[in-house]
Amino acid sequence: MKTKKGLKRWLIFALCLSLMPIGGCSQTPDALTLLEASSKEMEKLNSYEVNLTLGLNMGFGDGKSEINIGMNGEGFLQMINDPYASYGEVTVTVDSFGQEDTVVSKSYQYEKDGKILQYVDDGSGWSTQSSEGLTADTAQSTMSLFDYSFAEKCEPKVVGSETIDGKDTWKVEFTASFEDLMELSEEEVDESAQVFLSSFGKNLQLTCTIYIDKETKRYAKTVLTLTGLEELMNLISKFSEDVPEGMEISMDDVAIEFTYGRFDEVDQIDIPKEVEDLSVDNAANNAWGTMKVSVGSSNLVIGESSLQQLIDAGFVLDDTQAMDKTMESGDVQYCVLTRKGNEFYVGIENTTSDTIDTKEATIYSFYGYYLQDDIVLEGGIHAGSTASEVKKAYGEPLTVTDEDYYDLWYYEINDSFSSKYLELGLEDGVVTDIDLSVYYFGSFFA
């Protein structure tokens, strides 16, 4: 009997050993503990590379005919921890009407004097991007890759094992609901966008799948899948004048895959001379991106301040009751205001009411021409500033358009949830017109 029991134990032990490579008898770890251990291992690295792929397919149909649009992208991001530097390159191909259009975007981030400088080239030349709140410390913390308070709330689970690029990995998965996503983006999405998404985006859901190397505890792969977009887009289309009545939109789930590698093998990231020169010559060229406007002693922020704050600063609204005295363009309503003999067009959210609530109406664009007023942008630019003063404050514009008797200088900043625009009119090398506007995802302002 003893021999049979002993033999039985050895047979079970041998069976477990034979199954261990596929995880049959290995103990499944706690997901959050595993993610935390993985994060610490990633923090130990001084460099790595992430390769990414993304895909999106959409269709537009009215029951009689259908138009399909496909978008595919691939690229990579290299990161070095000390001194912090990163370089990314993404190629996106859009296939529509049987024709393919490809856009290549490149970006650099690097540390200089404790600050992170960011530059992007979308094919039209290098330009600066917003780096508000980004320091060397916060940039380096991205090596940890994960927010554990958020992950814990979403209750991650180890759902199995999988071989990724020859590595035996744990597969961790969690799903973030619409409410979770709103909480995560609370400080980045403005109030109007949150109201919009709360009304129409409740079925949005993000599934995150993370593959962690069992041996090294490093990330091997991450897959982000966003669902619920089809319903959201169809709801949006019903409120858009640009979408014909009866048009239905079909959309696949959006999937983005990140694959990690070249651990501690990215020795250096060489910054091109044209980018270095840009950083030296135009150290302050994102100053206007704060969207701050000074009017005498009043300080306003486009995208945050209300129409009432303009009125309090001495602007006069032609008639808050007469909606027919406004110009409408899509979802932005342009109100006409005057101050000190100048006429201004101010974009606010379109309203179905017959009365503009000046305290609730947020300013999304602010345009004045042939200014003879004390309007000053962040960086000190105002009517009368010279071309050289503008370049010193903001750097070279993305584009310059010759409008016969004056030039339009155009600047742009793209953030995670918004885009910011500045257009300056210069006549004989002197600023005469100022147009500052912001677009927030979900609120349709342009």
Side-chain angles (χ1 to χ4, degrees):
M1 291 290 290
K2 289 184 179 179
T3 304
K4 288 182 180 179
K5 286 184 179 179
L7 179 61
K8 187 176 180 179
R9 291 193 187 99
W10 278 107
L11 285 173
I12 293 173
F13 180 65
L15 181 61
C16 286
L17 285 176
S18 68
L19 293 176
M20 280 192 71
I22 60 170
C25 285
S26 57
Q27 185 177 359
T28 302
D30 171 70
L32 204 60
T33 302
L34 180 60
L35 286 171
E36 188 172 6
S38 181
S39 179
K40 289 180 179 178
E41 288 301 317
M42 296 298 287
E43 286 178 332
K44 294 176 183 177
L45 297 168
N46 193 53
S47 68
Y48 62 82
E49 180 175 288
V50 184
N51 290 281
L52 67 92
T53 61
L54 62 91
L56 172 63
N57 292 295
M58 296 179 64
F60 301 86
D62 58 4
K64 299 177 182 178
S65 60
E66 186 175 46
I67 299 171
N68 293 303
I69 298 175
M71 183 177 72
N72 293 286
E74 59 181 23
F76 65 89
L77 174 69
Q78 297 174 344
M79 296 183 66
I80 297 177
N81 189 28
D82 189 16
Y84 177 79
S86 71
Y87 172 67
E89 188 172 310
V90 178
T91 301
V92 176
T93 300
V94 178
D95 187 346
S96 59
F97 303 101
Q99 184 175 359
E100 288 189 353
D101 293 307
T102 299
V103 176
V104 179
S105 178
K106 303 175 182 179
S107 64
Y108 283 96
Q109 289 185 359
Y110 62 96
E111 179 183 349
K112 184 176 182 181
D113 299 329
K115 297 180 180 180
I116 299 299
L117 304 180
Q118 302 183 76
Y119 296 91
V120 171
D121 181 3
D122 61 2
S124 60
W126 290 101
S127 62
T128 62
Q129 297 291 287
S130 173
S131 58
E132 295 175 25
L134 187 62
T135 65
D137 289 339
T138 58
Q140 289 167 345
S141 70
T142 60
M143 302 290 277
S144 65
L145 299 176
F146 221 79
D147 180 343
Y148 289 97
S149 60
F150 177 70
E152 187 173 17
K153 185 173 182 178
C154 295
E155 300 180 352
K157 292 180 174 60
V158 177
V159 295
S161 299
E162 194 165 321
T163 301
I164 303 294
D165 293 336
K167 304 180 184 71
D168 189 18
T169 69
W170 291 114
K171 182 179 179 181
V172 181
E173 193 168 275
F174 68 84
T175 297
S177 65
F178 165 78
E179 289 78 10
D180 295 327
L181 293 173
M182 283 296 92
E183 183 177 324
L184 180 66
S185 60
E186 183 178 2
E187 295 181 359
E188 298 183 80
V189 179
D190 77 313
E191 185 177 348
S192 62
Q194 289 207 31
V195 170
F196 170 83
L197 289 172
S198 297
S199 301
F200 302 116
K202 287 189 176 180
N203 290 323
L204 283 175
Q205 186 170 276
L206 178 70
T207 299
C208 182
T209 306
I210 304 171
Y211 300 86
I212 297 174
D213 190 326
K214 291 183 180 180
E215 181 180 354
T216 65
K217 297 296 188 295
R218 295 170 181 168
Y219 277 57
K221 184 179 178 180
T222 301
V223 181
L224 302 178
T225 306
L226 187 62
T227 59
L229 281 174
E230 180 174 290
E231 183 176 356
L232 175 63
M233 293 302 294
N234 277 293
L235 284 168
I236 291 173
S237 69
K238 297 183 188 305
F239 295 90
S240 175
E241 298 177 358
D242 299 325
V243 179
E245 188 174 350
M247 181 71 71
E248 289 292 325
I249 300 173
S250 60
M251 178 181 288
D252 294 343
D253 295 341
V254 178
I256 307 175
E257 295 189 1
F258 303 88
T259 306
Y260 303 85
R262 294 192 64 193
F263 300 118
D264 280 338
E265 293 179 6
V266 182
D267 297 325
Q268 63 181 43
I269 295 175
D270 296 319
I271 311 299
K273 186 176 187 303
E274 59 206 284
V275 174
E276 287 185 331
D277 291 345
L278 193 62
S279 68
V280 171
D281 296 338
N282 304 305
N285 56 4
N286 265 334
W288 68 271
T290 61
M291 307 303 285
K292 293 179 180 178
V293 180
S294 296
V295 183
S297 59
S298 300
N299 295 310
L300 309 169
V301 180
I302 307 304
E304 297 180 14
S305 296
S306 68
L307 191 59
Q308 184 62 46
Q309 288 174 265
L310 275 182
I311 295 172
D312 293 341
F315 290 80
V316 178
L317 183 62
D318 279 1
D319 191 342
T320 60
Q321 305 298 320
M323 298 297 288
D324 58 352
K325 287 192 177 183
T326 65
M327 299 188 304
E328 295 186 8
S329 173
D331 294 274
V332 179
Q333 175 179 307
Y334 286 91
C335 303
V336 181
L337 295 94
T338 56
R339 184 177 186 274
K340 293 187 176 182
N342 281 127
E343 195 168 69
F344 297 86
Y345 295 94
V346 178
I348 61 172
E349 183 174 5
N350 202 353
T351 174
T352 57
S353 171
D354 292 335
T355 303
I356 300 173
D357 188 335
T358 57
K359 292 183 179 179
E360 293 295 326
T362 302
I363 304 165
Y364 286 91
S365 66
F366 180 81
Y367 170 54
Y369 56 93
Y370 286 122
L371 296 177
Q372 303 293 326
D373 209 338
D374 50 349
I375 308 293
V376 182
L377 303 183
E378 191 84 341
I381 298 304
H382 53 84
S385 293
T386 64
S388 60
E389 288 173 335
V390 173
K391 287 183 179 180
K392 184 176 180 181
Y394 306 146
E396 294 287 344
L398 286 177
T399 60
V400 175
T401 305
D402 184 353
E403 300 289 339
D404 293 330
Y405 58 91
Y406 70 100
D407 292 329
L408 283 179
W409 287 25
Y410 179 75
Y411 296 85
E412 178 181 342
I413 293 175
N414 290 308
D415 291 330
S416 300
F417 290 93
S418 67
S419 294
K420 301 170 184 178
Y421 309 94
L422 170 65
E423 201 166 55
L424 298 174
L426 283 82
E427 187 172 344
D428 297 327
V430 173
V431 174
T432 57
D433 306 354
I434 290 174
D435 186 350
L436 198 62
S437 58
V438 62
Y439 169 92
Y440 280 118
F441 169 75
S443 50
F444 306 111
F445 299 107

